[in-house]
Amino acid sequence: AQSVAQPEDQVNVAEGNPLTVKCTYSVSGNPYLFWYVQYPNRGLQFLLKYITGDNLVKGSYGFEAEFNKSQTSFHLKKPSALVSDSALYFCAVRDRVPGNTPLVFGKGTRLSVIA
Amino acid sequence: DSGVTQTPKHLITATGQRVTLRCSPRSGDLSVYWYQQSLDQGLQFLIQYYNGEERAKGNILERFSAQQFPDLHSELNLSSLELGDSALYFCASSPQGGGTTGELFFGEGSRLTVL
């Protein structure tokens, strides 16, 4: 069975500092990996995905994530945080096996960027 | 705006009652997914439909049921409601069925409060 762990419920960072939101995953095969963001009273919005190729993936709003197969991780990063980045961030995984597997989400990490 | 429409946005009801949540996917999307978001469980996959047929089932209670209609809109029926069913219910859509590399597009959710 596939699963995702986001070890931090909350991450606090000062505006202008780099940020990292951690994610580790477990799948039986190779993964498709995703990051989504949820702003208050809104649905989830897609940020970026890793399918294949370059381990460093760039996405929306200056975010990027690095796929590390040996550590089964897909941490979300941004070089310089903005107050407007404050939101709930979800990592998600889908197993790359034939057939239908749903997208499984982590429990989310709340990012708070302090001015 | 993701293009996914969910109604109602808010719903307050009593224990033992039945409610129906409605989702209209993005134009052209064939797959509809239902997720439940609660504080303690995070985002849980409930069920997926593809072009009118059930494609995958997750942690959906027997008191809950769903269907996708010929016009591709979907309804999630929740019956014999309990206090613990209070949550945010999200619908998401995607163009293809399961096992795809594409992202999901989420609606803004239906917040259910059971008193």
Side-chain angles (χ1 to χ4, degrees):
Chain A
Q2 52 199 22
S3 65
V4 173
Q6 292 181 243
E8 300 154 318
D9 291 336
Q10 173 96 28
V11 170
N12 297 318
V13 63
E15 187 175 30
N17 282 2
L19 70 87
T20 298
V21 183
K22 295 179 180 177
C23 170
T24 58
Y25 66 88
S26 174
V27 296
S28 57
N30 292 310
Y32 297 137
L33 292 157
F34 302 79
W35 275 101
Y36 285 79
V37 60
Q38 184 181 24
Y39 297 101
N41 300 314
R42 303 298 299 274
L44 278 70
Q45 296 176 31
F46 169 78
L47 272 181
L48 52 80
K49 65 182 177 183
Y50 170 80
I51 302 301
T52 188
D54 194 346
N55 289 345
L56 184 63
V57 178
K58 293 188 184 297
S60 307
Y61 312 121
F63 284 94
E64 57 188 31
E66 186 165 13
F67 170 61
N68 187 318
K69 188 172 183 178
S70 63
Q71 297 186 2
T72 61
S73 67
F74 190 57
H75 301 330
L76 181 70
K77 300 182 180 184
K78 187 173 182 180
S80 179
L82 300 173
V83 171
S84 58
D85 293 329
S86 299
L88 188 56
Y89 290 81
F90 290 93
C91 182
V93 68
R94 175 182 287 133
D95 204 339
R96 193 190 305 228
V97 293
N100 186 60
T101 56
L103 196 57
V104 173
F105 287 83
K107 290 197 172 184
T109 298
R110 188 165 300 280
L111 173 67
S112 179
V113 181
I114 305 161
Chain B
D1 183 6
S2 67
V4 178
T5 303
Q6 289 189 247
T7 57
K9 291 191 184 302
H10 301 277
L11 190 56
I12 301 174
T13 189
T15 55
Q17 296 298 304
R18 172 189 171 93
V19 299
T20 297
L21 310 179
R22 181 187 170 101
C23 169
S24 294
R26 292 190 323 156
S27 178
D29 283 359
L30 299 179
S31 272
V32 169
Y33 308 76
W34 286 97
Y35 284 84
Q36 178 193 56
Q37 184 181 29
S38 58
L39 286 175
D40 55 341
Q41 294 292 321
L43 203 62
Q44 297 284 311
F45 169 71
L46 296 178
I47 197 163
Q48 178 205 353
Y49 280 83
Y50 174 73
N51 204 20
E53 294 188 359
E54 183 182 305
R55 182 60 69 94
K57 201 174 226 183
N59 300 322
I60 188 166
L61 300 172
E62 285 192 10
R63 301 183 286 109
F64 296 179
S65 65
Q67 56 184 326
Q68 187 179 27
F69 295 86
D71 67 353
L72 301 177
H73 92 271
S74 178
E75 293 182 355
L76 179 66
N77 300 297
L78 314 175
S79 61
S80 302
L81 285 168
E82 303 175 358
L83 296 178
D85 297 327
S86 296
L88 194 51
Y89 291 84
F90 283 109
C91 169
S93 73
S94 70
Q96 303 95 354
T100 69
T101 63
E103 64 266 29
L104 302 184
F105 297 87
F106 281 81
E108 296 198 348
S110 293
R111 183 170 295 282
L112 173 66
T113 302
V114 182
L115 300 176

